[in-house]
Structure formats: C-alpha cells, structure tokens
Amino acid sequence: VLSRERVRTTSSGLTKAVAQFGPSVVVIEVGVHSRWVEEVFRSLGHRVVVANPRQVRLIWKRRLKTDRSDAMLLARLGRVDMSLLAPVQQRRRDAQVELVALRSRDVLVRSRTRVINHVRGTLKQFGLRVRTCGSSSFAKHAREVVPVELVPALEPALRSLHELDEQIAVHDRQIDELAAASVPAQHLMQVTGVGALTALAFCLTIDDPHRFKRSRLVGAFLGLTPAKDQSGESDPEKHISKAGNPFLRR
C-alpha cells in the first residue's frame, strides 16, 4: 500500500489525489458518480475498470463492511483478475443526456398516478367514487364529487394534475423528436406495438450493441433469462433474474 487517503468527490479533488501516480489501473464501483469519475481518470491517462459490486459477493455480503475495506478489496481483486469484478461498460455522455428526458417523464407520470390514487383513496373514505376515466379528465370528474369540506385539502392536488399533464406532454414531444433523429429507434418502431418511448429506452440503455458477442446475450443483460442455482444434481428452474435495467424492463 503506497497511499491511503480520503478524497473529495470532485473533478479537482480526484485530479489532485492521483497527480502523484503515473498511468495506472484505477478500479471504482459503479454508482451515481462512476460515469463522470471514469471520464476524469481516463482524461488523466489512466485505465479505468468499473466494478459491479452486486456481482462481487465478497463486497456486498460481508458482515464487516466499510468504505476503506471495500477499496482495499477492489484493489486486490483488480490486481489478481479483472474479470472477478464483473466490469461494467457505462453509456456515452450523449446517451445519458437523452436518457434523462425519458426518466424525467417517468418521474412525472408516477407522480401523476400517486396524486390520482391519493384523491381516489381519500374520497372512498367518505363513500364517494370518481367515475372511471383517463388521467387527463380525472380532475374534472373528481371535482364533481368532491364535497365542500374536502375542497381545501384536495383542490391543490387536482390543480397539480393539470400542470403535470402539460409537462408530460412537453416530454412526449421531446421524445418524439429524439426518436425521429435516431435511425436505430426508427427501425425498432417498425415493430407493431413499439413506440418512440420503448424504442428510445432500448437504444439508449444498450447504447453500444457491439459489446455483445451474440444478440441472445441482450436478454440476459436485461435480466429476462432464468436465474441459475445449479449445484451437483440440483438444477431448479427459477424465475427470470431481473438483474438488468428495471426501467427498460418495465
């Protein structure tokens, strides 16, 4: 061990910390910071390996787990055999930027669903029910049955639905434009039932298709193939592993 220290997770902090070393192999865990951290280290001439900790039982299954011991373990595994780290290839910056539009829309849609469920659930407590309708017309029909005593509590929620609908429509137009500019997405949209959202989510999550030796591996990458727990003569048939990207799988 040549050096052990805590480093601020900023571009300047990382640059200063590794300035004393020449071109080296850097092992980091995948996470919310890992994509830009990898960019910083690569720009300084280092080779970067991004480990998938969920595939390294030595990391996530230990009873005595600390950041310092994790770092030491990553270094030792990287020194012995890189494949033990189940290296992750992160998507391009451009793909990450475009994917934000899809995820932002998803957050808004989920928020709208929660508001609608809240209003429906509240009214049911008073023996009232909103007729079955689409999300765009829910606020109108809900106001028809909301009693006067509940207006102060529920009216702000109903007003927020209008704003959420408008912002979701903005993202829908943005996603349509992104899909129209993507040749792979246009190919996927030729399949019946596949729209701009699904096509873009697939293209941006896969990003570089050439990293898969065979197309059949994509199913396993997305967690759509059965999990395995074979030992001796025991080889039970299990459910899909769900080990991949939950956003795309949904």
Side-chain angles (χ1 to χ4, degrees), residues 2-241:
L2 302 180
S3 175
R4 182 187 287 117
E5 58 185 293
R6 295 174 62 89
V7 181
R8 184 174 294 277
T9 314
T10 62
S11 179
S12 58
L14 294 174
T15 300
K16 181 180 179 180
V18 300
Q20 57 183 308
F21 304 107
S24 309
V25 176
V26 178
V27 180
I28 62 176
E29 281 187 356
V30 69
V32 67
H33 295 288
S34 58
R35 194 196 55 74
W36 71 264
V37 168
E38 179 181 6
E39 288 182 349
V40 170
F41 283 132
R42 288 192 184 281
S43 68
L44 297 173
H46 301 288
R47 177 192 172 193
V48 183
V49 178
V50 184
N52 182 354
R54 297 303 298 174
Q55 297 296 324
V56 184
R57 186 177 292 267
L58 285 173
I59 293 179
W60 65 274
K61 268 290 188 180
R62 286 185 300 163
R63 294 186 180 277
L64 300 176
K65 185 178 184 303
T66 66
D67 289 340
R68 173 177 288 192
S69 63
D70 284 353
M72 179 62 73
L73 182 58
L74 286 172
R76 293 188 182 280
L77 290 175
R79 184 185 183 198
V80 174
D81 185 352
M82 293 294 181
S83 65
L84 296 175
L85 297 168
V88 173
Q89 179 176 330
Q90 303 189 100
R91 63 178 62 90
R92 296 171 296 109
R93 184 183 184 89
D94 292 345
Q96 184 70 24
V97 170
E98 294 180 359
L99 192 60
V100 170
L102 277 67
R103 293 189 177 276
S104 294
R105 180 191 181 277
D106 187 59
V107 169
L108 293 177
V109 170
R110 286 171 174 261
S111 298
R112 182 177 64 184
T113 300
R114 291 189 64 182
V115 172
I116 291 175
N117 289 341
H118 165 67
V119 174
R120 283 190 182 278
T122 300
L123 292 175
K124 285 181 180 179
Q125 297 174 30
F126 294 86
L128 302 170
R129 185 182 298 272
V130 182
R131 59 179 290 188
T132 302
C133 60
S135 58
S136 59
S137 60
F138 177 82
K140 173 186 174 182
H141 295 302
R143 287 190 175 97
E144 296 174 355
V145 298
V146 173
V148 176
E149 58 186 331
L150 289 180
V151 169
L154 295 183
E155 182 59 27
L158 295 176
R159 289 179 182 176
S160 71
L161 290 176
H162 177 68
E163 180 68 19
L164 286 170
D165 284 334
E166 289 186 343
Q167 296 307 317
I168 291 171
V170 170
H171 281 301
D172 286 338
R173 291 192 292 270
Q174 182 181 7
I175 290 170
D176 287 339
E177 293 174 358
L178 291 173
S182 171
V183 175
Q186 289 295 314
H187 288 321
L188 290 174
M189 291 169 63
Q190 295 177 17
V191 180
T192 302
V194 177
L197 181 63
T198 302
L200 268 181
F202 184 83
C203 292
L204 296 176
T205 301
I206 299 300
D207 192 22
D208 179 13
H210 300 292
R211 58 191 172 125
F212 299 98
K213 294 181 180 179
R214 298 186 304 277
S215 60
R216 292 175 64 88
L217 295 176
V218 177
F221 174 74
L222 299 178
L224 296 175
T225 54
K228 295 288 290 183
D229 190 15
Q230 186 271 335
S231 178
E233 296 182 358
S234 174
D235 190 6
E237 185 174 340
K238 308 193 72 175
H239 298 295
I240 62 173
S241 66

